[in-house]
Amino acid sequence: KFKPPHRGHLNMVKHYASLADEVKILVSPIARKAGEAIDIDAEDAIAIWDIYIKDSGLSNVTAMRSPKASPVGATFDFVSNEDDRPEWAQPGDKILLGASTKGGDESRFAGNVQTYAREGVEVLNPLDYVFEPQEEMPFNASDFRDDIGARRDIIRYLPDECIEAGHDTLILSILTDEPEKKTEQEPMSLESL
């Protein structure tokens, strides 16, 4: 659902970007609350993904709004592609579903997704390519939302590449709907002296 995406999500995408010709991130359309006053919607998540993707130099990754709230339902739609969407599974494609071992995530795709695939589309066994997080402390989007809502520091959730690029304040402004704050003071002019 990626509300919001964090460094663990990006590490998973990097794993799949190294295995596949193309990675498509389907972001759930359902907004999630961060505290009382902040809603993080699909557009916010996609905007953050776009920053992560650019800062990480991932040229084969695209984030897009999912047509369904359920990741499993969206997966079935993607591989069946009954509407013949050009950006979804096409005959000749081999599809690898992204899954992590964190919290048993990989079990969502333990069923045979191949039975839903359109003719000529092969769905590879996701358990053969599953992502195993290496972080000492696994990151959690719920904790991320709690820290955003409570106005606590969120830097630990952000990818190093984005921090190094100076995009942490931009990401925070997307998440809180507040204008980006200057991190450096403006030089004083002669008039102000």
Side-chain angles (χ1 to χ4, degrees):
K1 295 177 184 170
F2 308 119
K3 304 288 184 355
H6 53 65
R7 68 187 304 139
H9 292 138
L10 178 62
N11 289 337
M12 182 175 153
V13 167
K14 286 178 181 178
H15 167 76
Y16 286 104
S18 73
L19 299 173
D21 294 333
E22 189 174 357
V23 175
K24 297 187 184 221
I25 303 166
L26 298 176
V27 178
S28 166
I30 296 176
R32 300 295 302 263
K33 281 256 183 235
E36 296 283 321
I38 299 172
D39 284 326
I40 302 169
D41 62 22
E43 287 68 31
D44 296 330
I46 292 168
I48 293 168
W49 270 120
D50 288 344
I51 295 167
Y52 288 4
I53 291 164
K54 183 177 183 227
D55 288 350
S56 298
L58 298 172
S59 60
N60 63 337
V61 178
T62 306
M64 63 182 75
R65 185 184 182 100
S66 173
K68 290 197 171 175
S70 163
V72 176
T75 300
F76 293 154
D77 285 355
F78 186 90
V79 299
S80 68
N81 196 7
E82 292 175 3
D83 297 330
D84 198 29
R85 297 170 114 175
E87 70 275 14
W88 287 24
Q90 298 294 320
D93 286 352
K94 291 182 180 185
I95 306 296
L96 175 54
L97 306 173
S100 166
T101 57
K102 179 185 154 206
D105 177 53
E106 74 277 15
S107 66
R108 290 188 301 176
F109 298 118
N112 190 357
V113 179
Q114 182 66 51
T115 59
Y116 297 91
R118 76 187 291 182
E119 189 175 333
V121 173
E122 180 183 356
V123 180
L124 303 175
N125 182 355
L127 300 180
D128 290 342
Y129 304 93
V130 71
F131 173 68
E132 296 185 33
Q134 302 300 312
E135 292 93 2
E136 288 180 28
M137 180 183 74
F139 293 94
N140 182 305
S142 296
D143 293 340
F144 195 1
R145 284 190 302 275
D146 289 345
D147 286 348
I148 292 165
R151 306 286 186 187
R152 290 189 286 265
D153 185 21
I154 63 165
I155 205 81
R156 69 186 178 112
Y157 299 99
L158 303 182
D160 292 337
E161 302 95 312
C162 298
I163 296 166
E164 290 165 10
H167 290 143
D168 48 318
T169 55
L170 174 58
I171 293 165
L172 184 59
S173 72
I174 292 167
L175 292 170
T176 60
D177 291 327
E178 293 177 359
E180 203 175 335
K181 294 180 180 138
K182 291 263 187 207
T183 54
E184 299 175 9
Q185 288 186 343
E186 296 285 330
M188 293 184 89
S189 66
L190 287 176
E191 291 86 26
S192 66
L193 290 174

